[in-house]
PDB file of all heavy atoms in Angstrom:
ATOM      1  N   ALA A   5      17.929   8.819  -7.947  1.00  0.00           N
ATOM      2  CA  ALA A   5      16.610   8.971  -7.325  1.00  0.00           C
ATOM      3  C   ALA A   5      16.769   9.468  -5.901  1.00  0.00           C
ATOM      4  O   ALA A   5      17.434   8.837  -5.077  1.00  0.00           O
ATOM      5  CB  ALA A   5      15.850   7.638  -7.315  1.00  0.00           C
ATOM      6  N   ARG A  20       7.841   2.365   1.273  1.00  0.00           N
ATOM      7  CA  ARG A  20       9.230   2.364   0.880  1.00  0.00           C
ATOM      8  C   ARG A  20       9.446   1.472  -0.345  1.00  0.00           C
ATOM      9  O   ARG A  20      10.149   1.838  -1.277  1.00  0.00           O
ATOM     10  CB  ARG A  20      10.140   1.893   2.031  1.00  0.00           C
ATOM     11  CG  ARG A  20      10.239   2.909   3.138  1.00  0.00           C
ATOM     12  CD  ARG A  20      11.141   2.442   4.231  1.00  0.00           C
ATOM     13  NE  ARG A  20      11.175   3.445   5.289  1.00  0.00           N
ATOM     14  CZ  ARG A  20      12.069   3.433   6.245  1.00  0.00           C
ATOM     15  NH1 ARG A  20      12.990   2.474   6.309  1.00  0.00           N
ATOM     16  NH2 ARG A  20      12.058   4.385   7.169  1.00  0.00           N
ATOM     17  N   THR A  23       8.021   3.179  -3.441  1.00  0.00           N
ATOM     18  CA  THR A  23       8.884   4.286  -3.832  1.00  0.00           C
ATOM     19  C   THR A  23      10.170   3.763  -4.476  1.00  0.00           C
ATOM     20  O   THR A  23      10.577   4.223  -5.549  1.00  0.00           O
ATOM     21  CB  THR A  23       9.218   5.166  -2.613  1.00  0.00           C
ATOM     22  OG1 THR A  23       8.007   5.611  -2.039  1.00  0.00           O
ATOM     23  CG2 THR A  23      10.079   6.332  -2.993  1.00  0.00           C
ATOM     24  N   ALA A  29      12.451   0.914 -11.467  1.00  0.00           N
ATOM     25  CA  ALA A  29      11.803   0.761 -12.776  1.00  0.00           C
ATOM     26  C   ALA A  29      12.330   1.797 -13.782  1.00  0.00           C
ATOM     27  O   ALA A  29      12.496   1.500 -14.971  1.00  0.00           O
ATOM     28  CB  ALA A  29      10.298   0.885 -12.648  1.00  0.00           C
ATOM     29  N   ALA A  44       5.852  -6.839  -5.029  1.00  0.00           N
ATOM     30  CA  ALA A  44       4.557  -6.941  -5.691  1.00  0.00           C
ATOM     31  C   ALA A  44       3.447  -6.875  -4.676  1.00  0.00           C
ATOM     32  O   ALA A  44       2.401  -6.270  -4.922  1.00  0.00           O
ATOM     33  CB  ALA A  44       4.464  -8.229  -6.518  1.00  0.00           C
ATOM     34  N   ALA A  45       3.635  -7.493  -3.506  1.00  0.00           N
ATOM     35  CA  ALA A  45       2.626  -7.392  -2.462  1.00  0.00           C
ATOM     36  C   ALA A  45       2.319  -5.954  -2.122  1.00  0.00           C
ATOM     37  O   ALA A  45       1.176  -5.536  -2.021  1.00  0.00           O
ATOM     38  CB  ALA A  45       3.049  -8.206  -1.225  1.00  0.00           C
ATOM     39  N   VAL A  64      13.612 -11.091 -13.724  1.00  0.00           N
ATOM     40  CA  VAL A  64      14.193 -10.685 -15.012  1.00  0.00           C
ATOM     41  C   VAL A  64      14.285 -11.949 -15.854  1.00  0.00           C
ATOM     42  O   VAL A  64      14.895 -12.924 -15.445  1.00  0.00           O
ATOM     43  CB  VAL A  64      15.595 -10.067 -14.785  1.00  0.00           C
ATOM     44  CG1 VAL A  64      16.167  -9.551 -16.111  1.00  0.00           C
ATOM     45  CG2 VAL A  64      15.533  -8.941 -13.770  1.00  0.00           C
ATOM     46  N   PRO A  65      13.717 -11.921 -17.046  1.00  0.00           N
ATOM     47  CA  PRO A  65      13.716 -13.134 -17.885  1.00  0.00           C
ATOM     48  C   PRO A  65      15.130 -13.475 -18.390  1.00  0.00           C
ATOM     49  O   PRO A  65      15.948 -12.584 -18.644  1.00  0.00           O
ATOM     50  CB  PRO A  65      12.788 -12.758 -19.055  1.00  0.00           C
ATOM     51  CG  PRO A  65      12.804 -11.267 -19.102  1.00  0.00           C
ATOM     52  CD  PRO A  65      13.020 -10.811 -17.702  1.00  0.00           C
ATOM     53  N   SER A  73      21.969  -6.246  -6.056  1.00  0.00           N
ATOM     54  CA  SER A  73      22.607  -5.061  -5.538  1.00  0.00           C
ATOM     55  C   SER A  73      22.099  -4.803  -4.117  1.00  0.00           C
ATOM     56  O   SER A  73      21.247  -5.540  -3.624  1.00  0.00           O
ATOM     57  CB  SER A  73      22.371  -3.867  -6.438  1.00  0.00           C
ATOM     58  OG  SER A  73      20.989  -3.555  -6.508  1.00  0.00           O
ATOM     59  N   HIS A  80      16.018 -14.856 -11.750  1.00  0.00           N
ATOM     60  CA  HIS A  80      16.125 -15.089 -13.178  1.00  0.00           C
ATOM     61  C   HIS A  80      15.380 -16.353 -13.546  1.00  0.00           C
ATOM     62  O   HIS A  80      15.883 -17.455 -13.391  1.00  0.00           O
ATOM     63  CB  HIS A  80      17.609 -15.245 -13.561  1.00  0.00           C
ATOM     64  CG  HIS A  80      18.408 -14.014 -13.259  1.00  0.00           C
ATOM     65  ND1 HIS A  80      18.382 -12.904 -14.063  1.00  0.00           N
ATOM     66  CD2 HIS A  80      19.254 -13.723 -12.224  1.00  0.00           C
ATOM     67  CE1 HIS A  80      19.177 -11.981 -13.542  1.00  0.00           C
ATOM     68  NE2 HIS A  80      19.685 -12.448 -12.415  1.00  0.00           N
ATOM     69  N   MET A 112       6.842 -17.695   8.509  1.00  0.00           N
ATOM     70  CA  MET A 112       5.417 -18.020   8.625  1.00  0.00           C
ATOM     71  C   MET A 112       4.509 -16.834   8.934  1.00  0.00           C
ATOM     72  O   MET A 112       3.500 -16.664   8.310  1.00  0.00           O
ATOM     73  CB  MET A 112       5.236 -19.146   9.671  1.00  0.00           C
ATOM     74  CG  MET A 112       3.805 -19.544   9.896  1.00  0.00           C
ATOM     75  SD  MET A 112       3.069 -20.428   8.506  1.00  0.00           S
ATOM     76  CE  MET A 112       3.786 -22.028   8.757  1.00  0.00           C
ATOM     77  N   ALA A 127     -12.128 -11.482  -1.335  1.00  0.00           N
ATOM     78  CA  ALA A 127     -13.331 -12.172  -0.836  1.00  0.00           C
ATOM     79  C   ALA A 127     -14.202 -11.295   0.048  1.00  0.00           C
ATOM     80  O   ALA A 127     -15.219 -11.745   0.537  1.00  0.00           O
ATOM     81  CB  ALA A 127     -12.928 -13.413  -0.052  1.00  0.00           C
ATOM     82  N   PRO A 141     -31.274 -11.068  10.513  1.00  0.00           N
ATOM     83  CA  PRO A 141     -32.269 -11.201  11.581  1.00  0.00           C
ATOM     84  C   PRO A 141     -31.619 -11.611  12.927  1.00  0.00           C
ATOM     85  O   PRO A 141     -32.237 -11.419  13.949  1.00  0.00           O
ATOM     86  CB  PRO A 141     -33.212 -12.256  11.092  1.00  0.00           C
ATOM     87  CG  PRO A 141     -32.448 -13.027  10.067  1.00  0.00           C
ATOM     88  CD  PRO A 141     -31.446 -12.098   9.492  1.00  0.00           C
TER      89      PRO A 141
END
Side-chain angles (χ1 to χ4, degrees):
R20 289 181 181 193
T23 303
V64 183
S73 62
H80 300 282
M112 177 69 78

